[in-house]
Amino acid sequence: ALVACAMIRFRGGDPTVADGLRAAGARLPQILAWVLLASTVGIALRMIQERLEFIGRIVIGLVGAAWTIASYFIVPVLVVEKLGPVDALKRSAELMKETWGESLASHVGIGAATGLISFLGVLLIGVASVALAMATSNMGVVIAGGVAIAAFLVLAALVSSALATIVLSALYLYAAQKKAPQAFDGVAQFAFAPK
C-alpha cells in the first residue's frame, strides 16, 4: 500500500490511504504467492544450514544473502509491473544489478540516520526520566521513562521502515526508467547519479 501511494505521489498525484489499500488488495494473490515462495525458500535455507558443517553454513548463508539482494525490489515490481512472484524475482534481480550501489547506499544511509536518531532519543528520554525521578524522589518516573523509550523505539522503527519503502520506490523508478523522481531533486540527487 505504501509503495502504491509513493508511486502515485512520484507521478504528481495525491494518494490516499484508500488508494494504497486498493492497490494492495488488487495485487493480493501475487503478494500471497510471493509470501509463500519467500517463506518456503527461507525455511529450506534454514533447514539446510542447520544440517551442514561450518563451511556449508557459510555457503548457505551466502545463498541467503544473494536471495535477499535479488529480492530487494520485489514489492515495487509486484505493485507496478504486476508480475507473478517468479517473474517479479527475476525482474528485481535485474534491477538490483543495475542499481546495487544506490540501493546499498540508501539502505545504509537510512539505517544509520534512524539508528542515530533512535540512540539520541533513547538517551534523552532516559536521562530526563532519571533526572526527574531523582528530583522528585518518585521511581515511577523511571518506569514511565521506560515505557516512553519503548514507544519511541516502536515509532522510530515505523518511520524508518516507511522511509526505506519510499526510497525503495524511488530507486525502483530510477532503475526502471533511468530517471530519479522529481521529489528527489536537489540534496538527495547524489544517490541517483547517472552511470
Side-chain angles (χ1 to χ4, degrees), residues 12-76:
D14 261 336
T16 64
V17 172
D19 292 331
L21 294 175
R22 193 171 22 261
R27 302 300 299 147
L28 193 58
Q30 290 79 10
I31 292 169
L32 291 176
W34 168 250
V35 168
L36 182 62
L37 176 63
S39 298
T40 303
V41 169
I43 290 169
L45 288 175
R46 189 170 298 122
M47 287 173 57
I48 293 168
Q49 191 174 27
E50 288 173 358
R51 291 177 174 27
L52 295 176
E53 298 296 324
F54 179 73
I55 298 298
R57 288 182 182 172
I58 291 173
V59 170
I60 293 300
L62 292 173
V63 170
W67 170 263
T68 300
I69 291 167
S71 62
Y72 186 75
F73 286 112
I74 198 74
V75 174

Side-chain angles (χ1 to χ4, degrees), residues 1-3 5-7 10 72-73 76 102-118 152 154-172 181 183-184 188 191-192:
L2 184 56
V3 168
C5 288
M7 294 299 174
F10 290 152
Y72 186 75
F73 286 112
E102 293 87 347
S103 301
L104 179 62
S106 70
H107 189 73
V108 169
I110 289 171
T114 56
L116 178 62
I117 290 168
S118 296
F152 178 79
V154 168
L155 180 63
L158 290 172
V159 169
S160 175
S161 178
L163 287 174
T165 300
I166 292 166
V167 171
L168 173 68
S169 300
L171 283 169
Y172 165 78
F184 283 77
F192 301 96

